[in-house]
Amino acid sequence: MKDALLITPPFTQLNTPYPATAYLKGFLNTQNIDIYQMDLGIEVILELFSKKKIQDFFEIAFKTDSIVSENCQRIYALKNRYYQTIDPIISFLQEKNKTLSRLICSENFLPRASRFQQLEDLEWAFGSMGNQDKAKHLATLYLEDISDFIIECIDDNFGFSRYAESIGQSANSFDELYTKLSLELSYIDRISIDILKTKIDKTKPKLICFSVPFPGNLFSAFRCAQFIKKQYPKIKIAMGGGFPNTELRDLKDIRVFEFFDYITLDDGELPIELLISNTQQPTPANDDYNKFKRTLLLKEGAVYYNNLSTKQDYKQNSVGTPDYSDLLLDKYISVIEIANPMHSLWSDGRWNKLTMAHGCYWGKCSFCDISLDYVRIYEPVAAKILVDRIEELTDQTGETGFHFVDEAAPPALMKAVALEILSRNLTITWWTNIRFEKSFTKDLCLLLKQSGCIAISGGLEVASDRLLKLIDKGVTVEQVAQVTNNFTNAGVMVHSYLMYGYPTQTILETVNSLEMVRQLFKIGSIQSGFWHQFSLTTHSPIGKNPEEYGITPLYNTIKFANNDVNFKDKTGIKHEKFSQGLKASIFNYMHNIGFDLPLNDWFDFNLPKTTTPPNYIEKCIQVDNKLYTKPNAQIIWLGETPISELFTKSKKGNSWPMIKLTIHTPENSNQIMLEAPKGLWLLALLDKISTKKNTKKHKFSEIKTDFENKFEDFELFWYSKPLQKLKGLGLLTL
């Protein structure tokens, strides 16, 4: 018997678990609380996309005459090919049958329906040697064809990473969801319930907690809770996660509590510990009896916010390491939806997920939910603890890939983590989300790359300095160009979140923003991006003070979800008309084509000409090599120990001792020549500041003082050609 069962309901990601339950299990381990976790979504997917179930729903579709479109008729006609290939394809996408890639890439193995009509030039996209990625892409299209059949003929609410999402999106009223829950179970509902029942009977929990991160998980969570209430009435049921945190803070509809006993808000560690305490010992003898933390429940016929516990939330350094045990880590499915290396990070491969810091260190962006605790309360984790967790998770999962899921990872902490990784001689791969701020210098980006950083994502939002100031983003377009260029030159992929339709944004500002983005892609400073239309949320500064931004919110009566708000913009511009053109342009830019097309060609209506100079971004990234270093700057050496060779140099009858230092890098070998005394001093310095030795900070001012105790003209030495060459080989200033 388990103290609790934690569930992620269908559907989130195919390739890796959503981390919320693993975070909670890791914390509960520190409290000696025994729980079980499951990702119901991946278990349903694996059952649905099996030979047995495909045979089953093809037969159902035929018997119910639901095969109408030409596409689904073709899929059904090829049903035997699907029966033959589905299990091997799933195995291949689970990295268990890699030799199948060549067969998948052949033209007559996979049955092909409408998804293959949009097939890109795979030779161009993946190259002649990219069989694994090419095969994954083809296998993904194959699954999407089957998904189209399921949506048309079996269950129109299905989606690989969401289920009945439209019902959960900004549902100010509970009526639609409540009505749908009264209907007969769908085909996918029945699969979910069968798997859930087996797990409940196995674990026998007193409490079941659903983590609901997105609207696309909401209906399934309610459907599962409905089943539990009916079949296991003694089990208490709770909901937490991103959706209730942002959407259900103003909940008033008591019908929700026909399904759930508790809804917790914000950080889940203490709330869930108190729920477990109350289900284990629901009597006044328990000091925590009826004392909860940020928990909605039903009391005297109304929704009641119980925050009676005086216990303080746990600090991030003490919540433990996420625990992925119980989850089917070897059965997740890696897919490649489009031929873009950055996008594949979200869907391809299994990533251990960690957080460098709770909340956002900036916490000012006007479109963001900065009033909510998950953003507002900033609390970084110590670098040593983070790298301890990296090592623990590597041992536990066997995976060395890490996705830091921060709102915006702090540069200083990223530096400290990178140095700690290098000092422990760890080999990992990682990526995260950042702000494009000036702290990301050329040398810091090189350090991050050396520690295993392969990609970063960040919000450029609107490429307009006026609007960036209005957003209170704290960056300029010039700064973004420089930072993205620093990352790209260090070999780190860059993805940019882009926004249009921000309050007061003009048509010309949208055109100029697109031109900035075109230039960033053309010079290679960013490799991936995504446009989304501005959305007003009630918890953001704009939502709280709309008049300051020239908009008028169109509020509805709130009884259920409350986050996204419709509004009128005083400009009167219908920004949605830009959607297709912006998406089409960036799709082409990501594939390094279309740069020379006039911006107007991406749209089916006329636009004003851009006023952005054609070389604006190029000028932004021109480097001004100032011969100045801040006294408190940290100096580190990333390279191997140089091989030294003493020799004597003679000229016009004079001779003096010299030293040749040979620095071997993975790519090549390089030499620098120095006067022997200074060269030996430098050799000792490199050993002292090597990242392989320790993470102790060695300041530029201290190094200068040490040099001047022995020699003269430090600046002349430090900015000399041999030292400049050394800086290109791993001598970094941070």
Side-chain angles (χ1 to χ4, degrees):
M1 181 181 292
K2 297 290 182 180
D3 295 328
L5 172 61
L6 307 185
I7 300 174
T8 304
F11 295 105
T12 50
Q13 291 175 269
L14 296 176
N15 64 308
T16 198
Y18 192 78
T21 63
Y23 276 48
L24 289 171
K25 178 161 185 171
F27 161 72
L28 293 170
N29 288 343
T30 69
Q31 306 302 307
N32 296 314
I33 295 173
D34 187 20
I35 68 102
Y36 192 92
Q37 64 179 328
M38 67 179 299
D39 180 352
L40 184 56
I42 192 63
E43 296 197 35
V44 171
I45 288 290
L46 294 175
E47 180 72 12
L48 183 62
F49 287 84
S50 65
K51 180 178 180 180
K52 179 182 177 182
K53 286 299 180 186
I54 286 184
Q55 288 175 325
D56 186 38
F57 65 66
F58 272 20
E59 185 177 341
I60 290 172
F62 178 76
K63 289 181 178 178
T64 56
D65 292 326
S66 56
I67 306 172
V68 176
S69 71
E70 183 177 333
N71 184 55
C72 285
Q73 289 175 5
R74 172 176 172 77
I75 292 172
Y76 182 76
L78 293 168
K79 61 183 183 297
N80 289 324
R81 294 291 293 169
Y82 285 100
Y83 300 159
Q84 178 187 351
T85 52
I86 185 61
D87 289 341
I89 288 296
I90 293 295
S91 179
F92 170 75
L93 292 175
Q94 291 172 331
E95 309 284 349
K96 295 176 181 176
N97 191 11
K98 292 186 177 182
T99 55
L100 193 66
S101 62
R102 294 183 182 276
L103 195 55
I104 293 172
C105 292
S106 65
E107 291 189 2
N108 61 353
F109 178 65
L110 291 180
R112 300 187 177 194
S114 64
R115 295 287 180 149
F116 286 82
Q117 293 172 5
Q118 303 161 21
L119 200 58
E120 299 178 50
D121 183 342
L122 295 185
E123 195 68 27
W124 165 78
F126 295 103
S128 60
M129 296 300 291
N131 268 338
Q132 289 294 321
D133 282 353
K134 181 178 176 181
K136 281 184 183 178
H137 183 54
L138 292 170
T140 302
L141 297 176
Y142 162 90
L143 292 183
E144 288 175 340
D145 275 337
I146 299 174
S147 172
D148 290 340
F149 187 91
I150 292 170
I151 291 168
E152 179 177 324
C153 305
I154 302 298
D155 190 338
D156 60 4
N157 288 308
F158 177 71
F160 277 117
S161 60
R162 63 193 62 86
Y163 186 82
E165 183 180 48
S166 61
I167 297 174
Q169 288 179 320
S170 298
N172 299 146
S173 168
F174 188 52
D175 289 348
E176 182 182 1
L177 181 55
Y178 191 73
T179 298
K180 188 168 181 63
L181 287 164
S182 68
L183 302 178
E184 184 180 347
L185 295 180
S186 70
Y187 186 85
I188 292 172
D189 286 339
R190 290 195 295 274
I191 295 175
S192 301
I193 296 302
D194 286 346
I195 296 171
L196 176 62
K197 183 179 186 306
T198 300
K199 205 70 71 174
I200 292 173
D201 291 342
K202 175 184 176 182
T203 57
K204 298 179 172 58
K206 291 185 178 180
L207 173 69
I208 296 179
C209 302
F210 289 89
S211 178
V212 181
F214 308 116
N217 305 97
L218 186 69
F219 178 80
S220 291
F222 270 89
R223 183 62 97 187
C224 290
Q226 181 185 49
F227 165 77
I228 297 166
K229 279 292 180 188
K230 183 176 180 181
Q231 298 296 326
Y232 303 90
K234 292 183 179 180
I235 295 177
K236 296 294 184 181
I237 312 172
M239 182 205 303
F243 183 86
N245 290 349
T246 55
E247 305 272 355
L248 299 184
R249 307 184 81 88
D250 300 313
L251 177 65
K252 296 181 180 67
D253 198 318
I254 64 172
R255 293 177 296 175
V256 170
F257 294 94
E258 295 175 21
F259 305 86
F260 293 95
D261 299 288
Y262 310 105
I263 296 175
T264 68
L265 303 177
D266 302 324
D267 290 356
E269 288 86 1
L270 182 55
I272 201 169
E273 181 185 18
L274 293 170
L275 290 180
I276 292 171
S277 175
N278 274 272
T279 54
Q280 294 292 330
Q281 190 180 2
T283 69
N286 181 359
D287 291 340
D288 295 324
Y289 180 60
N290 283 342
K291 295 176 184 176
F292 299 99
K293 200 73 173 178
R294 297 184 301 274
T295 299
L296 299 172
L297 48 84
L298 192 62
K299 182 178 179 181
E300 297 177 357
V303 179
Y304 173 66
Y305 179 66
N306 187 318
N307 197 30
L308 297 176
S309 176
T310 58
K311 292 183 175 181
Q312 297 299 306
D313 282 298
Y314 290 89
K315 297 295 184 182
Q316 291 302 300
N317 284 336
S318 64
V319 296
T321 301
D323 183 349
Y324 286 89
S325 61
D326 309 328
L327 299 174
L328 309 179
L329 297 183
D330 61 340
K331 294 188 177 180
Y332 281 85
I333 301 170
S334 289
V335 296
I336 297 180
E337 297 173 32
I338 64 171
N340 177 276
M342 187 71 194
H343 281 200
S344 72
L345 290 179
W346 278 280
S347 60
D348 184 21
R350 217 202 62 69
W351 299 94
N352 295 319
K353 300 197 178 187
L354 283 171
T355 307
M356 289 194 186
H358 181 287
C360 179
Y361 71 96
W362 180 249
K364 297 180 183 179
C365 297
S366 58
F367 59 82
C368 185
D369 293 340
I370 62 174
S371 64
L372 299 184
D373 284 359
Y374 80 93
V375 179
R376 182 178 62 85
I377 298 177
Y378 173 66
E379 187 188 339
V381 181
K384 288 184 181 298
I385 292 175
L386 273 170
V387 182
D388 286 344
R389 292 175 181 175
I390 286 172
E391 292 194 284
E392 287 180 47
L393 280 174
T394 300
D395 289 342
Q396 180 196 131
T397 67
E399 299 285 351
T400 58
F402 289 84
H403 178 196
F404 291 99
V405 292
D406 292 64
E407 296 297 316
L413 182 54
M414 291 173 70
K415 180 181 79 171
V417 168
L419 289 170
E420 188 68 27
I421 289 170
L422 292 171
S423 73
R424 300 192 194 188
N425 201 29
L426 301 179
T427 301
I428 67 165
T429 303
W430 63 274
W431 57 293
T432 191
N433 191 56
I434 65 163
R435 286 179 63 246
F436 292 123
E437 64 157 85
K438 61 184 179 182
S439 299
F440 291 106
T441 62
K442 171 189 171 184
D443 281 7
L444 177 55
C445 293
L446 287 169
L447 170 68
L448 298 176
K449 169 65 175 179
Q450 186 80 1
S451 72
C453 179
I454 58 166
I456 55 94
S457 57
L460 169 55
E461 319 307 352
V462 183
S464 155
D465 284 339
R466 180 188 80 83
L467 291 172
L468 286 171
K469 186 175 180 180
L470 187 61
I471 290 171
D472 202 2
K473 191 73 181 176
V475 301
T476 63
V477 175
E478 180 181 18
Q479 193 174 305
V480 171
Q482 292 167 353
V483 169
T484 56
N485 197 58
N486 287 341
F487 273 110
T488 295
N489 287 340
V492 178
M493 285 192 296
V494 180
H495 173 88
S496 182
Y497 300 107
L498 304 163
M499 184 187 297
Y500 63 99
Y502 189 83
T504 74
Q505 183 173 355
T506 66
I507 291 176
L508 181 58
E509 284 174 324
T510 301
V511 173
N512 285 344
S513 184
L514 175 57
E515 171 60 16
M516 299 277 199
V517 170
R518 184 193 71 82
Q519 292 183 29
L520 283 165
F521 272 102
K522 186 174 182 180
I523 67 172
S525 287
I526 60 177
Q527 296 77 48
S528 178
F530 183 80
W531 288 100
H532 66 276
Q533 188 171 347
F534 167 77
S535 176
L536 175 64
T537 64
T538 190
H539 307 296
S540 67
I542 304 179
K544 292 185 175 297
N545 302 287
E547 64 283 349
E548 295 181 11
Y549 298 86
I551 63 172
T552 303
L554 306 175
Y555 294 116
N556 295 323
T557 301
I558 305 298
K559 290 198 172 182
F560 185 55
N562 180 26
N563 192 29
D564 290 355
V565 180
N566 292 325
F567 65 94
K568 286 185 178 179
D569 188 332
K570 69 178 182 181
T571 65
I573 298 170
K574 294 183 178 179
H575 294 284
E576 59 272 12
K577 68 181 180 181
F578 292 95
S579 176
Q580 286 304 113
L582 292 173
K583 290 177 181 177
S585 63
I586 203 168
F587 180 83
N588 282 272
Y589 297 160
M590 284 193 293
H591 292 85
N592 291 315
I593 54 177
F595 294 123
D596 296 328
L597 286 176
L599 300 184
N600 212 70
D601 285 12
W602 300 113
F603 303 88
D604 56 6
F605 54 91
N606 289 324
L607 293 172
K609 288 188 176 181
T610 180
T611 58
T612 301
N615 60 346
Y616 181 83
I617 298 297
E618 189 175 351
K619 285 187 174 181
C620 288
I621 64 174
Q622 288 176 355
V623 179
D624 181 13
N625 290 317
K626 296 179 181 178
L627 300 181
Y628 172 75
T629 304
K630 291 180 179 179
N632 64 345
Q634 182 177 4
I635 310 299
I636 66 168
W637 172 242
L638 290 178
E640 302 295 334
T641 301
I643 297 172
S644 60
E645 180 183 342
L646 289 166
F647 66 98
T648 300
K649 184 174 181 179
S650 300
K651 187 174 183 181
K652 294 182 179 180
N654 296 317
S655 63
W656 57 94
M658 296 287 290
I659 190 168
K660 179 173 72 173
L661 299 182
T662 302
I663 301 98
H664 295 289
T665 69
E667 297 83 18
N668 51 42
S669 299
N670 298 267
Q671 288 87 34
I672 62 172
M673 311 288 187
L674 293 165
E675 295 174 9
K678 292 179 181 179
L680 291 170
W681 175 88
L682 178 62
L683 198 60
L685 173 67
L686 295 181
D687 182 67
K688 185 165 65 173
I689 65 175
S690 171
T691 56
K692 296 176 175 61
K693 295 293 178 69
N694 57 67
T695 57
K696 182 183 176 182
K697 185 172 182 179
H698 296 276
K699 294 181 181 179
F700 177 73
S701 59
E702 296 168 348
I703 293 170
K704 178 181 178 182
T705 299
D706 185 64
F707 181 92
E708 290 177 340
N709 286 335
K710 303 175 180 66
F711 312 103
E712 295 179 350
D713 297 326
F714 175 74
E715 279 75 13
L716 189 63
F717 172 77
W718 192 254
Y719 297 110
S720 64
K721 285 185 178 180
L723 268 289
Q724 292 302 105
K725 186 175 183 180
L726 199 61
K727 289 170 186 175
L729 299 172
L731 182 62
L732 304 186
T733 301
L734 304 173

